[in-house]
Amino acid sequence: MSNSRALVIKSVKYGETSLIVSCYLEDIGFKSFLVKGLYSTKKSRFSKAHFFPLNIISLNYSYNENKNLGYIKEVKSEFLFDSIYTDVQKSSVIVFLSEILNNVFKEELQKNQDLFNFLLNSLLWYDKTKNCNIYHIKFLVELTKFIGFYPNIKNKNDIYFCLESGTSTNVKPINEFIKGEDLRLFNNLLGMKFEDLNTMSISRKSRARILNKIIDYYSLHLQMFKTPKSINVFTEIFK
């Protein structure tokens, strides 16, 4: 048996009483586990709350690379969030980002300590902050540092950002790009820390446009990436 901190990425009910939980573990990366008896009429040693999206947990587990699913012996919450699951906007952000991460981790299977630390620290910051409506955009931009296609801004005076090449340019790209005020805001986000996000004001329409461009950016650079199903509900809540 091994012990590790982990982030819950996705959970799906399996059969009548069980759950398949996909987690990003600090020590071995992205893995899936079968949790038996969670929905049984008998009292389970696990709680459904342990497996909420992006919950940070501590696992005692066994995993065999020759099998598709591992086994969780014990689980406990590593941190108790104050607002992520009770605030409507924040909870919608968490569901949306968990869908994104589930797509990303299909291709990012191995452990990455820097990535784990980023996920952990950014979630803890978001839980404590108030009224930040661009956290999800900053999160998605920063996530690209760890998966290989962080935007390359050659010069802040360049007038286009080409989504396909991932670089800024003064030559109008043939395909998808960001330009104008949206590019200025995008560049500002790149150089900003999470703790400074509340100093930045972006209109609802600009947020929606930039988010859609970032989703397109992910689609161009990750073969298995699919637009999250929750994006429509998410967009409605942020109107």
Side-chain angles (χ1 to χ4, degrees):
M1 304 296 288
S2 301
N3 294 289
S4 178
R5 293 188 298 177
L7 279 88
V8 177
I9 305 301
K10 183 179 181 180
S11 57
V12 178
K13 191 174 181 182
Y14 180 74
E16 293 297 319
T17 63
S18 300
L19 194 71
I20 293 177
V21 181
S22 298
C23 300
Y24 191 73
L25 283 74
E26 186 171 18
D27 65 343
I28 59 172
F30 187 57
K31 305 295 179 187
S32 294
F33 299 88
L34 180 63
V35 180
K36 294 183 178 180
L38 185 64
Y39 295 96
S40 173
T41 54
K42 297 179 181 179
K43 186 176 181 180
S44 172
R45 65 181 183 275
F46 303 119
S47 166
K48 297 180 184 69
H50 284 136
F51 305 110
F52 284 171
L54 301 191
N55 194 23
I56 303 166
I57 56 179
S58 179
L59 295 178
N60 179 245
Y61 72 93
S62 63
Y63 192 88
N64 186 330
E65 291 293 344
N66 295 321
K67 296 182 179 180
N68 291 328
L69 297 172
Y71 168 75
I72 296 175
K73 182 180 180 182
E74 294 179 7
V75 59
K76 64 179 181 179
S77 292
E78 187 75 8
F79 299 97
L80 296 176
F81 288 124
D82 292 326
S83 63
I84 275 180
Y85 300 125
T86 56
D87 181 281
V88 174
Q89 281 196 349
K90 285 187 177 183
S91 62
S92 67
V93 167
I94 292 303
V95 170
F96 172 72
L97 293 180
S98 68
E99 278 197 73
I100 295 278
L101 289 171
N102 188 56
N103 274 321
V104 168
F105 289 151
K106 289 175 183 176
E107 302 188 33
E108 179 72 22
L109 297 178
Q110 303 304 313
K111 77 169 187 176
N112 181 328
Q113 188 65 53
D114 290 337
L115 172 56
F116 185 87
N117 291 342
F118 159 71
L119 297 171
L120 180 71
N121 293 330
S122 66
L123 286 168
L124 292 175
W125 178 85
Y126 187 48
D127 182 56
K128 297 299 183 184
T129 197
K130 295 180 180 179
N131 303 320
C132 182
N133 56 19
I134 54 174
Y135 167 77
H136 56 293
I137 297 175
K138 177 64 173 174
F139 181 99
L140 293 178
V141 170
E142 292 301 306
L143 181 60
T144 63
K145 283 182 180 178
F146 307 98
I147 53 179
F149 52 97
Y150 188 71
N152 178 18
I153 305 300
K154 296 178 180 178
N155 188 318
K156 282 207 169 184
N157 293 321
D158 287 343
I159 59 176
Y160 301 102
F161 176 75
C162 175
L163 299 185
E164 187 171 6
S165 68
T167 59
S168 63
T169 178
N170 278 319
V171 179
K172 186 176 181 179
I174 297 173
N175 296 312
E176 293 287 330
F177 57 85
I178 303 174
K179 67 173 183 176
E181 177 65 7
D182 289 347
L183 180 57
R184 184 187 71 80
L185 294 169
F186 182 71
N187 286 341
N188 288 344
L189 271 173
L190 291 178
M192 188 172 285
K193 296 180 179 179
F194 276 99
E195 51 264 36
D196 297 325
L197 289 181
N198 284 329
T199 66
M200 187 175 183
S201 178
I202 302 181
S203 70
R204 177 182 61 80
K205 289 184 178 180
S206 291
R207 288 200 309 270
R209 284 196 304 269
I210 293 172
L211 177 60
N212 286 332
K213 290 294 185 182
I214 292 174
I215 295 297
D216 291 341
Y217 188 47
Y218 271 69
S219 297
L220 286 167
H221 292 270
L222 294 173
Q223 289 184 342
M224 298 175 68
F225 187 83
K226 296 179 181 178
T227 300
K229 294 178 181 178
S230 62
I231 193 167
N232 292 330
V233 174
F234 175 76
T235 303
E236 283 296 316
I237 289 174
F238 269 81
K239 277 187 175 180

